[in-house]
Amino acid sequence: MTVANIQDILQTLPSRYRGPGGAVAVVKNGELVGELVWGYADLRSRIPMAPSTRMPICSITKQMLCLILKDLERNPTPEMAKRGNVSRQLADGLGQLVPRELIEDTGLRLDHLYNNQSGIRDYWAMSMFWGTQPEGEFTLADDAKKALGRTKSLHYQPGTQYSYCNLNFHILARVVEHVSGTPLGELLAERLFSPAQMKTASLCADNARLPPPCVGYEGDESFGYIPAINRTQWSGDAGAVASLEDMVAYERYLDQAWADQQSLYREMAQDPSFEDGTPARYGYGLERMKFGQIATIGHGGAIRGFRLHRIQAPSERLSVVVMLNHQADAAAVAAHILQEALGLPKQQPLTCNPSPHWTGSFFDPDAQLVVEVRLGGPGQIIVTYTGDDEALNLVDECNAHSGSTTATISADSLVLHRIDDNRHIHAKRIIASQPPEDYVGQYHCAEVDSTFHCSGAGGMLYGSFDGFLGQGPAELMRYLGDDVWVLMCARGLDAPAPGNWTVVFQRDDHGQIGSVVFGCWLARKVAFIKQ
């Protein structure tokens, strides 16, 4: 690996991942060995992208919050030290800040939050039920408190599974602030940004007031690029802003920390596990992946108009940072750079023919979610379960796998092992049919304080929701069969949106519709009663 080789790899990126602009860097052995900045921070004003251009780094904030949490455990504030046991203070803070229903008889702990094993439903997904518009406002002072107050049950037992949840880190940040008596922005500045020499990084919780000049863009070349509108407030689950220069300083800081076996970062990077002892791949806001035999840790970030990713291969002392002001796949960009820089071979799918049974829609009765499968490129199938498409390579005509999922098809039965989630899924094919005409009506969920309106006729239904955030847009629904529909949600308060929601209408003993259950991977089993 040479600096010239790295620069050659980076020079291909602008045309390979086309869009308004971007900034990438490669750090090796604690030194910057490759950097490329291209395009425009603001297309309309023709302001070029620069290494000093700040962008929201979104969910990369989560690991920074966890660094603050661990630092407070080791180096408590004077007031925290006076009160004694810091771990007890933090645990008590959790109990004081969340609804008692989340704590009583569940065993919910702080580590379930930062390992994304809490079973709490994601509040950005749930905002659909509360009547949000995609460009709607969401405030920390008011709306976040109302959202947490309406979060009174879990969609699985803490510690048994993994699912991504921004609310976990929102709660964690409020616990940190409550126990330390210090705003998160000050803690980040004093305990991370200053020692890491991230000179222009800061917490900017209000996405409507991001620092100029960078603009995030929705759209593509065929549709056109449109300035993205963000009016949400985050603090902990996201909220930090930084430039490429800041992120290079962060990677250098983490490289130095890795050399110290007793560092906070080393402690955070230890492999987590589920309650049953099964190794987990997510902990302290860090995702663990392997490229060949090389272990990596990192995380992505996204809001509407921005995509970011940082990834580190500690054994190689190599880090990659990708920052885009458009919605190309930043994780794919980072993976491409890492694989090329390390000279890793590309895995070629087998060219066997897939079984004809693969394609179709399947129903996971445990999570009440739809799994959709279609054919991909040669030797591949595409599985959609979490809202994203996942490509699995065929092993033979009835078995396929990726780095995180294995799949087996047998006639109308689909078996998935989702390794990251710690779940074995046994799904049955949904038999397509013509939809009945008795779904239209009004439904209510008392727990989340939401009303669902189902309207339409002739097999074309629409769904919309009313809640404390207002009256949401009508979204299109598509019938699959067996009283199972999907409700499309391509744009939500957060971006990317949850995607298609599974909608399961339930009948009573007389065959009448009595209720409907909604779910997506981020928020499952939300039941509404017909009024």
Side-chain angles (χ1 to χ4, degrees), residues 3 150 252 308 385:
V3 173
R150 288 162 172 78
R252 286 172 166 160
L308 304 99
Y385 182 73

Side-chain angles (χ1 to χ4, degrees), residues 439-487:
Y439 301 114
V440 170
Q442 183 171 295
Y443 302 73
H444 185 70
C445 178
E447 178 183 345
V448 303
D449 189 21
S450 172
T451 298
F452 167 58
H453 303 277
C454 183
S455 60
M460 183 66 233
L461 295 187
Y462 303 83
S464 58
F465 296 88
D466 300 340
F468 75 88
L469 292 174
Q471 295 183 325
E475 305 282 9
L476 279 65
M477 298 172 63
R478 173 168 55 90
Y479 188 61
L480 299 180
D482 302 334
D483 286 330
V484 178
W485 294 70
V486 291
L487 181 142

Side-chain angles (χ1 to χ4, degrees), residues 76 110 119 124 153 229 239 256 275 286 441-442 514:
L110 284 173
W124 299 120
S153 68
I229 298 173
Q256 291 175 352
E275 296 289 331
L286 294 168
Q442 183 171 295

Side-chain angles (χ1 to χ4, degrees), residues 13 24 95 100 156 174 181 227 264 266 344 347 451 458 460 496 529:
L13 300 179
V24 299
R100 59 178 178 80
Y156 57 78
R174 305 292 77 74
L264 298 172
R266 274 278 190 160
L344 298 177
Q347 186 178 13
T451 298
M460 183 66 233
I529 305 301

Side-chain angles (χ1 to χ4, degrees), residues 134-157:
E135 293 87 7
E137 290 185 346
F138 189 94
T139 64
L140 287 168
D142 187 30
D143 297 327
K145 291 179 180 179
K146 290 179 180 178
L148 184 56
R150 288 162 172 78
T151 303
K152 298 180 179 179
S153 68
L154 307 174
H155 59 182
Y156 57 78
Q157 179 65 26

Side-chain angles (χ1 to χ4, degrees), residues 126-183:
M126 294 292 290
S127 68
M128 181 185 74
F129 299 128
W130 296 320
T132 185
Q133 296 285 340
E135 293 87 7
E137 290 185 346
F138 189 94
T139 64
L140 287 168
D142 187 30
D143 297 327
K145 291 179 180 179
K146 290 179 180 178
L148 184 56
R150 288 162 172 78
T151 303
K152 298 180 179 179
S153 68
L154 307 174
H155 59 182
Y156 57 78
Q157 179 65 26
T160 63
Q161 299 180 33
Y162 161 84
S163 65
Y164 199 78
C165 179
N166 288 285
L167 186 52
N168 287 337
F169 291 86
H170 170 84
I171 295 169
L172 195 63
R174 305 292 77 74
V175 171
V176 164
E177 291 180 327
H178 175 72
V179 174
S180 70
T182 308

Side-chain angles (χ1 to χ4, degrees), residues 54 123 215 220 394 406 420 531:
R54 288 187 290 172
Y123 67 155
V215 176
D220 54 33
L394 290 168
T406 65
D420 290 1
Q531 303 298 291

